[in-house]
Amino acid sequence: MLDGKCVFCRIIKGEIPAVKVYDDDKMCVFKDVEPKAATHLLAVPKSHFKLLADMDGGQAETLKYMFEKIPAIAEANGCGNGYRLVINQGDDAGQTVFHLHVHILGGEKLGDM
């Protein structure tokens, strides 16, 4: 179920424009509007939930599906030499949109964390 107030849900529904690089019935991947790397994509499940701790069994299966799809999506978008995945969880981690999402960062040599 989508949340009408969530920016990512609104992108999924097409109410807010985004540069989508992948879209199917379970997930959407689009370019981050404030990129932190040469390639910075956001992989978003089409089911709205805020945190990993909030997932139900079906949402956990969707997240597994996303992780199976991400390698090919990353490769197709300039991350053939490697990429970093980041999932921020909560305020202290810097999560600003409270719809679980996976940052895909690459397209250049990334520094140490």
Side-chain angles (χ1 to χ4, degrees), residues 5-110:
K5 297 178 184 175
C6 170
V7 66
F8 289 167
C9 289
R10 293 184 66 209
I11 288 170
I12 290 165
K13 291 192 292 187
E15 296 175 359
I16 296 175
V19 179
K20 294 180 181 178
V21 300
Y22 183 84
D23 193 15
D24 67 21
D25 62 326
K26 295 181 182 179
M27 67 185 283
C28 181
V29 182
F30 49 89
K31 293 185 178 186
D32 194 305
V33 296
E34 295 181 11
K36 307 293 189 240
T39 298
H40 187 167
L41 307 173
L42 300 173
V44 181
K46 288 194 172 176
S47 174
H48 180 89
F49 60 102
K50 296 177 183 180
L51 303 167
L52 292 169
D54 296 338
M55 284 188 303
D56 63 26
Q59 292 161 331
E61 284 298 315
T62 297
L63 192 58
K64 176 182 179 269
Y65 173 84
M66 289 172 60
F67 279 110
E68 291 169 346
K69 292 288 188 180
I70 284 173
I73 294 166
E75 170 106 19
N77 285 276
C79 299
N81 288 328
Y83 53 93
R84 178 175 296 155
L85 301 178
V86 177
I87 302 175
N88 297 321
Q89 293 288 277
D91 291 324
D92 285 355
Q95 186 176 8
T96 57
V97 178
F98 287 91
H99 180 133
L100 186 117
H101 55 285
V102 180
H103 294 261
I104 305 167
L105 301 139
E108 65 183 335
K109 183 134 179 104
L110 301 174

